[in-house]
Amino acid sequence: MNQPVAPAAIAESAWKAVGVSRPHESAELHVLGQATYTDDIPELQGTLHAALGLSSKAHARITAMDLAPVRSAPGVVAVYTAADIVGTNDCGPIIHDDPILSAGEVLYVGQPIFIVVADTHDNARRAARRAVIAYDELPAIFTPQEAKAANSYVLPPMQLTRGDYQTAFEMAPRVVKGQLFVGGQEQFYLEGQIAYAIPKEENGLLVQCSTQHPSEMQHVVAHAIGVHSHKVQVECRRMGGGFGGKESQSALWAASAGIAASKLRRPVKLRADRDDDMLVTGKRHCFFYEYEVGYDDSGKILAAKVDMTLRAGFSADLSGPVATRAVCHFDNTYYLSDVDIRAGCGKTNTQSNTAFRGFGGPQGAIAIEYIIDEIARNLGRDALDIRRQNFYGTTERNLTPYGQEIVDNVIEALTAELEQTSEYRTRRKAIEAYNASSPVLKKGLALTPLKFGIAFNVTHLNQAGALVHVYVDGSVLVNHGGTEMGQGINTKVLQVVAHELGLDLSHVRITATDTSKVANTSATAASTGADLNGKAAQDAARQIRERLAAYAVKLYGDDDGQPVRFFDNHVHVNGHKVLFAELVQKAYLARVQLWSDGFYATPNLHWNPKTMNGHPFSYYAYGAAVSEVVVDTLTGEWKLLRADALYDAGRSLNPAIDIGQVEGAFIQGMGWLTTEQLWWNAAGKLMTHAPSTYKIPGISDCPEDFRVKLYDNGNVEDSIHRSKAVGEPPLLLPFSVFFAIRDAISAVGGHRVNPPLNAPATSEEILRAVSAVEMAS
């Protein structure tokens, strides 16, 4: 008989669980349709369904409200208004100016006024539309320009200055001035807003909801129903996308379901239909810019001033931190010696805008890129050369306007690598030849860089906790404070714990995020999810490993002070190779603690919001992209022919996931800047509130030639395994698409005229810019 061959031993140097591509931990469940989202949770007997009654006016006082038709509708069990909220009628994350239900004055079309609870989802929705409401309409403000003119703000405007801007501007040989408008963006997560609230004993609640911030939902629900936080448990296994739209704005839905369930003592589910979701919830902030910049004959910026007005919407929400990040990212990759950077959060009678992937960073950085693009055209130079002229240095010219020294700058080397691998110069010449012989179709090319700071603007949010349990059979269960929205945080944390304990990934499992397990968590946002929670989980796993190592030395002796090694599912100690599970069983009998909590707080962060100065970021991520487009100057249609992206993920924890994140961010950002147009009618109603009217990119919009690569660069900071964040920064890469389109339009006038192109660069906007160039040529 043939004897089975034992698997060859794996050397420690060849074994690792991090830094390698692994499938998403739920990939198989996703493909099979077995991944459980909130709406998939089996409903308990007696479950009711809620819907929200919405305002039809942008700004008005409610003078009369007849809800009798709602109460008499088929299947209706109860109707609740602001007067029925026993606790706090507020779901604002920072400033308490955001009521769960309007208490008499409505501030935008789509604002919730009442909750209707019925036996079915359809009955609840139908009933909600039967209310008879009389309004006394009031003046409304819709655009950031109108808000600025009316001095209408949700927060006091902010200003960051360095040097003597006015003197430097007056002495500059050349000047560029202008305006720019960049629209907002709907998060368009595949899974809409949803919450399922289940009553528990002693007036407690279990709230299962799709949220990036379980702890915030816990606080809002507890305040709304008038109980302490320990009475409310919030759980989220996974989301079908978040992109920032479920950071603070899941609170309205969780609170509404919680209020109804608490009053009725029955389970209540509130699932928003797509139209209601888009009408009610906030978007990426649109920005209106006014800028003036002084520069010299070489293209070096000498003085820069920008005034940014955000469309905040009717309440503050997260507009303050978004504006702060925009101010701190106006510099992007460029040293600006003398600056005056201002931002105002305009109060408008529209949805309260909120977090969106990039959180103001993209809106801040695109302004300086637009300015540099204009400078290059004014000088008749390639924009890449002007960008290089203004790059931050490494030992000088490396202090940001807000006072943080840049110690990890790799943008010059990264850009040089991409310039070479993308054949930028050769393609530029080929495009010039093409355009010279093509009167209608014009090609454009652009290379744009990025620098993105990683950390929450608010210092105390940069903390995380985790629990790691090792069971007697050697299997491991992990719980951490981050939430999985498809981005792969659970996969990365799983890899980190597996690596720390020397186990294959199959031995480790991650459970749903749960406020009863890890308390006081921060939102999974600001690209900090893997950084914070990975470090916390590593801390917990390391404590267990150290206990097991000490116990192994007791059993097998000390190898002259050599460390006990954990890899390949074994523990290696003093010449002995012991199965991890075997050592765990022995340790349990010896009463060694086999579980641990872990904690991490990002060090060396500080920020003064009054002076807008400090060290707000742990480190920076860098990247660059080259895009080539062709534009039909008669129709405004365009196509992305090729995109090359190079992104600095540090020592990537999982290259496959990180490349996927870069690809997704690129296409999502391209949609923001080209096709995704939000449009409100004259009465203030959002008309692009469904897939039929709001156009996210499709597969046909992706370039056939799409080259994405991770830049080889370890993090100088002690991040988790020297990796870098990859959630938000790559969204700046598709700036290259927008400026390639602008380059193609510019070719109509022989690159002598700066096209007045706003974003999104829809076909209509492109035609408007083409017409302007033709008239000025």
Side-chain angles (χ1 to χ4, degrees), residues 211 213-220 229 234 515 518-522:
T211 180
H213 201 343
S215 287
E216 177 71 16
M217 301 310 103
Q218 180 189 33
H219 300 157
V220 169
S229 291
V234 176
T515 57
V518 177
N520 309 321
T521 59
S522 297

Side-chain angles (χ1 to χ4, degrees), residues 178-224:
Q179 297 180 348
L180 173 66
F181 181 86
V182 174
Q185 185 180 21
E186 163 66 34
Q187 289 87 358
F188 216 95
Y189 24 68
L190 289 179
E191 177 203 30
Q193 298 280 5
I194 182 170
Y196 185 27
I198 302 167
K200 297 293 182 181
E201 61 184 22
E202 296 185 322
N203 203 31
L205 278 182
L206 166 62
V207 182
Q208 295 171 309
C209 64
S210 185
T211 180
Q212 296 172 236
H213 201 343
S215 287
E216 177 71 16
M217 301 310 103
Q218 180 189 33
H219 300 157
V220 169
V221 173
H223 293 158

Side-chain angles (χ1 to χ4, degrees), residues 159-172 174-177 290-295 301-307 330 336-342:
Q159 182 179 18
L160 169 61
T161 62
R162 176 168 72 175
D164 185 348
Y165 161 77
Q166 194 59 42
T167 300
F169 181 76
E170 292 170 356
M171 295 180 63
R174 293 173 176 266
V175 168
V176 60
K177 297 183 180 181
E290 296 172 290
Y291 60 86
E292 55 180 34
V293 170
Y295 60 100
I301 294 175
L302 305 176
K305 179 179 181 179
V306 64
D307 192 330
F330 172 69
L336 305 175
S337 59
D338 297 80
V339 298
D340 183 349
I341 307 171
R342 307 181 187 200

Side-chain angles (χ1 to χ4, degrees), residues 139-285:
I141 293 173
F142 297 127
T143 70
Q145 295 95 316
E146 292 171 355
K148 183 177 182 181
N151 199 32
S152 172
Y153 298 104
V154 296
L155 297 164
M158 59 186 68
Q159 182 179 18
L160 169 61
T161 62
R162 176 168 72 175
D164 185 348
Y165 161 77
Q166 194 59 42
T167 300
F169 181 76
E170 292 170 356
M171 295 180 63
R174 293 173 176 266
V175 168
V176 60
K177 297 183 180 181
Q179 297 180 348
L180 173 66
F181 181 86
V182 174
Q185 185 180 21
E186 163 66 34
Q187 289 87 358
F188 216 95
Y189 24 68
L190 289 179
E191 177 203 30
Q193 298 280 5
I194 182 170
Y196 185 27
I198 302 167
K200 297 293 182 181
E201 61 184 22
E202 296 185 322
N203 203 31
L205 278 182
L206 166 62
V207 182
Q208 295 171 309
C209 64
S210 185
T211 180
Q212 296 172 236
H213 201 343
S215 287
E216 177 71 16
M217 301 310 103
Q218 180 189 33
H219 300 157
V220 169
V221 173
H223 293 158
I225 65 174
V227 301
H228 290 298
S229 291
H230 66 229
K231 291 286 188 74
V232 178
Q233 176 187 356
V234 176
E235 181 182 281
C236 178
R237 173 61 184 93
R238 60 172 61 83
M239 288 167 276
F243 307 116
K246 296 175 181 175
E247 181 175 345
S248 63
Q249 301 232 335
S250 49
L252 168 67
W253 314 91
S256 297
I259 290 166
S262 178
K263 284 187 168 294
L264 294 168
R265 304 311 299 166
R266 290 176 65 179
V268 175
K269 179 187 285 188
L270 173 52
R271 172 172 62 81
D273 279 56
R274 182 66 65 179
D275 294 79
D276 288 351
D277 191 325
M278 294 180 72
L279 276 173
V280 173
T281 61
K283 327 297 177 190
R284 181 190 296 281
H285 294 72

